[in-house]
């Protein structure tokens, strides 16, 4: 008989505006079966002389004077992956507790329960239930069935690494001449050390390095804004392999959605702090730079593959451009009724036409089979249009990934 899987622990962190609110939230979590629950003033260890953080400035000054709840929940009897659908419902439930007390869920961490319990700081401990486990439903919930995908896109070769590198460098040379005249995100392509460096083992590895140079870890900066025209040159250059152009178009999708993505992830926090979310200057300027170059991409619509047209329509929606060609072109894409692609196309069409009445059912359709989207949509503080923009890149790239003949981290 195989040994029972080790108990799994999740530590939730909530931020609340007062000690009373924190204690009330902690009592609710304890009532849900959490084993250990502590209440501490925000940045508690800044005030403990023996702590490394003592006297240091706050890493999150917006929360000065707020309180935090740290709560450890233990789940036993199942392997971690079997618990994932239930964990999603638990994250939604705990976030609801935070909102009910005018706060927000700040995050959570996971690990073996014995390890998490052993390192749990007991400063401010208000509830302890030794050996307590959260009651699990029987049977455990399962993820909903995903609709069938649309028909495969025609395969788009990304090209051999050396050939793609050579094509990209040629575009950089034609555009900027030398590294001194190129933006920081492009200059390394024209540097002698790069030219005589080790060759890339895969095209995906090179394209990932290029994407990271433009927006490190997906974060838009002034460098990102400067690099947008170069990315457009690559996408419009037929010497770059079609599949690689599609990957680069995917990078633009993610950059254009960086503002809405941040807004969705921070919606509860922003509401709790009484503020309004605004794109950073770099996010706004990046999206505007992409939008200003978009007519150039759309002028090639008739000559592009269906996969590229699909991505172009999504990019048009993300940039807030009203283009009838993109909207009517969606109808010509291979989109069987009842497929996951049909739901994504409905979302793109609603965003392109700025139709709120169609947007909500489109999001509901996607949330019915995508637990990730359902979790994001669970907060009443998330605006439907912002949610649609935030989730669009991953949905489109997941669909077109089947047409890219190379290893590439597309979710």
């Amino acid at each position: 008989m195989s040994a029972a899987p080790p108990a799994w622990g999740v530590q939730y962190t909530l931020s609340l505006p007062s000690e009373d609110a924190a204690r009330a939230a902690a009592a609710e979590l304890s009532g849900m079966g959490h084993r250990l629950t502590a209440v501490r003033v925000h940045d508690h260890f800044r005030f403990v002389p023996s702590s490394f953080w003592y006297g240091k400035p706050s890493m999150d000054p917006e929360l000065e004077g707020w309180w935090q709840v740290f709560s450890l929940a233990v789940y036993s009897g199942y392997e971690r992956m079997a618990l994932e659908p239930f964990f999603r419902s638990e994250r939604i439930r705990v976030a609801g507790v935070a909102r009910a007390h005018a706060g927000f869920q700040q995050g959570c961490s996971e690990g073996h329960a014995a390890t998490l319990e052993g390192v749990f700081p007991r400063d401010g401990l208000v509830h302890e239930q030794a050996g307590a486990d959260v009651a699990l439903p029987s049977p455990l919930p399962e993820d909903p069935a995903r609709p069938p995908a649309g028909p495969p896109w025609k395969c788009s070769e990304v090209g051999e690494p050396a050939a793609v590198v050579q094509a990209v460098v040629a575009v950089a040379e034609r555009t900027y001449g030398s590294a001194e005249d190129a933006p920081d995100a492009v200059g390394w392509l024209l540097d002698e050390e790069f030219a005589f460096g080790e060759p890339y083992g895969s095209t995906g590895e090179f394209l990932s390095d290029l994407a990271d140079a433009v927006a490190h870890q997906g974060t838009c900066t002034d460098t990102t804004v400067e690099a947008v025209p170069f990315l457009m040159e690559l996408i419009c250059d037929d010497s770059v392999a079609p599949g690689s152009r599609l990957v680069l178009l995917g990078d633009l999708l993610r950059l254009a959605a960086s503002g809405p993505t941040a807004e969705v992830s921070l919606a509860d926090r922003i509401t709790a702090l009484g503020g309004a979310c605004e794109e950073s200057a770099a996010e706004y300027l990046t999206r505007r730079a992409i939008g200003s170059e978009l007519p150039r991409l759309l002028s090639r619509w008739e000559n592009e593959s269906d996969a590229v047209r699909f991505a172009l329509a999504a990019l048009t929606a993300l940039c807030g451009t009203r283009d009838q060609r993109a909207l009517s072109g969606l109808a010509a894409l291979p989109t069987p009724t009842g497929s996951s692609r049909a739901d994504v196309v409905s979302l793109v069409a609603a965003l392109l036409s700025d139709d709120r009445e169609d947007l909500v059912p489109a999001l509901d359709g996607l949330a019915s089979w995508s637990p990730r989207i359902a979790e994001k949509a669970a907060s009443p503080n998330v605006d439907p249009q912002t949610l649609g923009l935030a989730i669009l890149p991953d949905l489109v790239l997941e669909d077109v990934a089947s047409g890219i003949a190379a290893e590439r981290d597309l979710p």
Side-chain angles (χ1 to χ4, degrees):
M1 181 180 293
S2 59
W8 198 253
V10 180
Q11 179 179 301
Y12 300 92
T13 303
L14 278 59
S15 290
L16 289 305
S18 68
E19 182 179 2
D20 287 346
R23 287 182 175 275
E28 282 199 46
L29 297 181
S30 180
M32 289 163 54
H34 290 204
R35 186 173 294 186
L36 297 170
T37 309
V39 171
R40 300 193 285 270
V41 69
H42 178 71
D43 279 345
H44 159 76
F45 290 107
R46 289 175 55 221
F47 310 104
V48 177
S50 61
S51 170
F52 169 80
W53 298 104
Y54 180 66
K56 288 183 167 56
S58 174
M59 298 292 288
D60 200 346
E62 275 194 316
L63 298 180
E64 191 75 37
W66 279 54
W67 287 71
Q68 291 178 300
V69 174
F70 301 88
S71 197
L72 176 63
V74 176
Y75 309 85
S76 300
Y78 295 91
E79 295 289 350
R80 166 63 181 83
M81 292 309 297
L83 290 165
E84 180 57 28
F86 180 70
F87 280 173
R88 290 194 188 99
S89 66
E90 284 290 274
R91 290 193 295 267
I92 292 172
R93 187 182 179 194
V94 171
V97 170
R99 284 194 300 270
H101 295 280
F104 60 96
Q105 181 176 236
Q106 196 165 8
C108 60
S109 57
E110 299 184 24
H112 289 144
T115 301
L116 292 183
E117 186 169 10
V119 300
F120 189 93
R122 293 177 175 252
D123 305 64
L125 190 69
V126 291
H127 299 285
E128 181 173 6
Q129 303 181 93
D133 284 3
V134 173
L136 295 169
S138 183
L140 285 175
E142 296 182 358
D143 285 339
R146 185 187 178 95
W153 305 100
K154 290 184 179 179
C155 186
S156 297
E157 295 290 342
V158 296
E160 292 298 319
V164 173
V165 170
Q166 184 177 13
V168 171
V169 170
V171 173
E173 289 175 339
R174 185 175 72 242
T175 305
Y176 302 107
S178 68
E180 289 75 17
D181 298 322
D184 291 343
V186 180
W188 61 284
L189 295 167
L190 303 173
D191 190 272
E192 280 191 13
E193 290 186 9
F194 173 75
F196 295 101
E198 292 293 323
Y200 279 91
S202 72
T203 301
E205 182 186 357
F206 169 64
L207 294 175
S208 292
D209 278 359
L210 180 56
D212 195 53
V214 170
H216 181 58
Q217 297 182 343
T219 302
C220 292
T221 63
D222 292 345
T223 296
T224 309
V225 180
E226 294 174 349
V228 167
F230 175 66
L231 293 178
M232 290 293 185
E233 284 290 335
L234 293 179
I235 293 169
C236 292
D237 194 289
D238 291 331
S239 67
V240 177
S244 291
R245 291 172 52 236
L246 187 55
V247 170
L248 293 164
L249 190 55
D251 293 334
L252 289 183
L253 283 169
R254 288 202 178 96
L255 293 176
S258 56
T261 300
E263 184 172 345
V264 168
S265 67
L266 297 173
D268 283 350
R269 175 190 170 111
I270 293 164
T271 301
L273 289 169
C277 185
E278 295 182 0
E279 288 180 302
S280 70
E283 289 167 345
Y284 168 74
L285 291 172
T286 296
R287 183 168 51 80
R288 193 174 73 170
I290 295 171
S292 68
E293 298 272 0
L294 198 53
R296 183 179 176 195
L297 294 182
L298 291 171
S299 70
R300 300 165 53 93
W301 181 275
E302 298 301 328
N303 298 321
E304 297 288 7
S305 67
D306 281 343
V308 169
R309 290 173 185 167
F310 187 29
L312 273 178
L315 187 61
T316 303
L318 281 165
C319 291
T321 303
R322 304 288 169 254
D323 188 275
Q324 189 58 40
R325 176 173 36 197
L327 183 57
S328 60
L330 283 174
L333 297 177
T335 310
T337 301
S339 66
S340 59
R341 185 179 300 165
D343 286 341
V344 181
V345 167
S346 294
L347 174 62
V348 178
L351 292 170
L352 278 172
S353 57
D354 198 21
D355 190 331
R356 290 269 178 163
E357 289 188 4
D358 286 346
L359 178 60
V360 172
L363 289 170
D364 289 344
L366 291 162
S368 71
W369 53 262
S370 173
R372 172 177 55 86
I373 294 174
E375 185 174 354
K376 292 178 185 295
S379 170
N381 297 320
V382 172
D383 172 69
Q385 183 168 19
T386 305
L387 175 61
L389 295 171
I391 64 177
L392 189 53
D394 283 354
L395 289 168
V396 171
L397 295 176
E398 182 182 58
D399 192 292
V400 302
S402 60
I404 301 175
E407 295 182 0
R408 167 79 169 173
D409 290 330
L410 296 174

